[in-house]
Amino acid sequence: MEKIKVDKELCIGCGACAATCPDTFEINDDMLAEVIKDEVTEEVIEAAENCPTEAIKIEENKEDEN
Ligand code: SF4
């Protein structure tokens, strides 16, 4: 299940998330952020909080963490 999502309607391609968290976000050819690694880390949460359009959604529901 996807934990991190970028709302393509909201993303303005500013690149802030990719700068904060280059392992997780990449700006694609459409100049929109894309999730390249679906793992929620503190940097991902920070990137979501700093996104100017709140385009990054994180599923907080806990699954088994083994
Ligand atoms: S910070 Fe938000 S608006 Fe900027 S590229 Fe990332 S998802 Fe898009």
Side-chain angles (χ1 to χ4, degrees), residues 1 3 18 20 35-36 59 64-65:
M1 199 183 96
K3 294 192 281 291
T20 304
V35 177
I36 54 173
E59 297 277 346
D64 294 18
E65 285 180 13

Side-chain angles (χ1 to χ4, degrees), residues 6 10-18 27 32-33 47 50-56:
V6 174
L10 294 176
C11 177
I12 55 171
C14 71
C17 56
I27 303 300
L32 296 172
N50 290 337
C51 173
T53 60
E54 296 181 6
I56 301 169

Side-chain angles (χ1 to χ4, degrees), residues 9-30:
E9 304 293 316
L10 294 176
C11 177
I12 55 171
C14 71
C17 56
T20 304
C21 206
D23 289 345
T24 303
F25 301 102
E26 197 171 77
I27 303 300
N28 67 18
D29 293 342
D30 297 327

